[in-house]
Amino acid sequence: IQRNMWMTNDGFRDFLYYSPLGHVLAQLGRTDEVRCTTDMLLVNPNRGFGWHQDNQNGPIGFPDAMRWWVAMDRCGQDDFGAPEYLLGSHRNQSVSDDAVFVKLEDGDLSTFGRKTKFIPEPGDLIIWNARTIHRIVAPPEQQWVEGTQRRAIGGTVAKGGTTYFNKGGASGISDLAGHTQQNGELLSSPYFPR
């Protein structure tokens, strides 16, 4: 995983600034603007992406966060690398905001019985609620065979009107240093581009 691609890679920055991504996210979020709070390049093989919720969404709360993912490659053999989602799980009441990895039999997650798996083609966009429980389909024992790797770019955007919230702890990795934003201020720093 490489983070903050928009700061170091002109192609990725141009994709964020000039592609329809921001417009699509704003339309689906029913907001006038979105601001990038996290971004990353993901390359499988990886380890540890079982069932989880994304909590490193930047210095914002879950209600203001929208997650996105754009495939750069097709998923590998047997759909390895494909994202799978537990439908409706963004409404769960048992997974705390700071939790990452979960077991589907814990809390009220067992009441969300439907799953869906996306097999994206290069350029396909997936958008989901940041509290949605999901995983990346991995081969048995996570033994990635040559040719099964896939790349994707993704991240989090904040809806217009979002306030800055320094969560600290493990979430601190997703809050860029160098800005002067204070808790409760409107998210407006150039470190969170719109």
Side-chain angles (χ1 to χ4, degrees):
I1 295 176
Q2 181 179 347
R3 296 182 182 274
N4 307 321
M5 293 288 295
W6 71 272
M7 296 179 85
T8 60
N9 182 295
D10 291 345
F12 191 72
R13 182 205 61 220
D14 290 349
F15 175 74
L16 282 178
Y17 286 1
Y18 305 119
S19 78
L21 176 66
H23 179 74
V24 171
L25 288 162
Q27 291 296 305
L28 289 174
R30 297 183 178 132
T31 183
D32 292 336
E33 73 171 24
V34 292
R35 287 187 170 271
C36 180
T37 58
T38 67
D39 66 277
M40 62 192 78
L41 169 66
L42 305 122
V43 181
N44 280 345
N46 63 38
R47 296 203 176 269
F49 281 93
W51 291 104
H52 67 283
Q53 81 175 350
D54 297 318
N55 75 351
Q56 294 183 354
N57 297 312
I60 61 175
F62 274 109
D64 298 316
M66 296 175 63
R67 295 288 295 182
W68 62 274
W69 196 87
V70 176
M72 296 172 71
D73 303 303
R74 190 188 186 290
C75 295
Q77 176 186 344
D78 299 322
D79 303 328
F80 297 145
E84 184 175 21
Y85 297 84
L86 186 61
L87 297 177
S89 61
H90 63 287
R91 293 188 301 266
N92 81 78
Q93 299 296 310
S94 60
V95 179
S96 69
D97 286 355
D98 60 347
V100 179
F101 296 102
V102 300
K103 294 180 181 174
L104 298 186
E105 60 273 9
D106 288 352
D108 64 351
L109 293 181
S110 63
T111 65
F112 302 97
R114 293 182 48 222
K115 300 173 190 163
T116 190
K117 180 170 49 173
F118 292 100
I119 314 301
E121 295 291 333
D124 285 353
L125 170 65
I126 302 171
I127 300 169
W128 67 97
N129 184 297
R131 283 196 40 88
T132 301
I133 305 300
H134 60 287
R135 70 176 181 149
I136 300 299
V137 177
E141 300 178 24
Q142 298 205 11
Q143 297 300 313
W144 294 84
V145 176
E146 187 66 32
T148 64
Q149 299 90 345
R150 66 106 181 106
R151 298 167 298 158
I153 54 177
T156 309
V157 295
K159 297 175 186 178
T162 297
T163 56
Y164 177 85
F165 172 51
N166 182 348
K167 295 183 268 186
S171 295
I173 193 173
S174 61
D175 187 0
L176 291 172
H179 62 76
T180 58
Q181 292 267 206
Q182 299 292 318
N183 281 341
E185 291 180 346
L186 189 66
L187 194 66
S188 59
S189 167
Y191 281 84
F192 308 106
R194 59 184 171 145

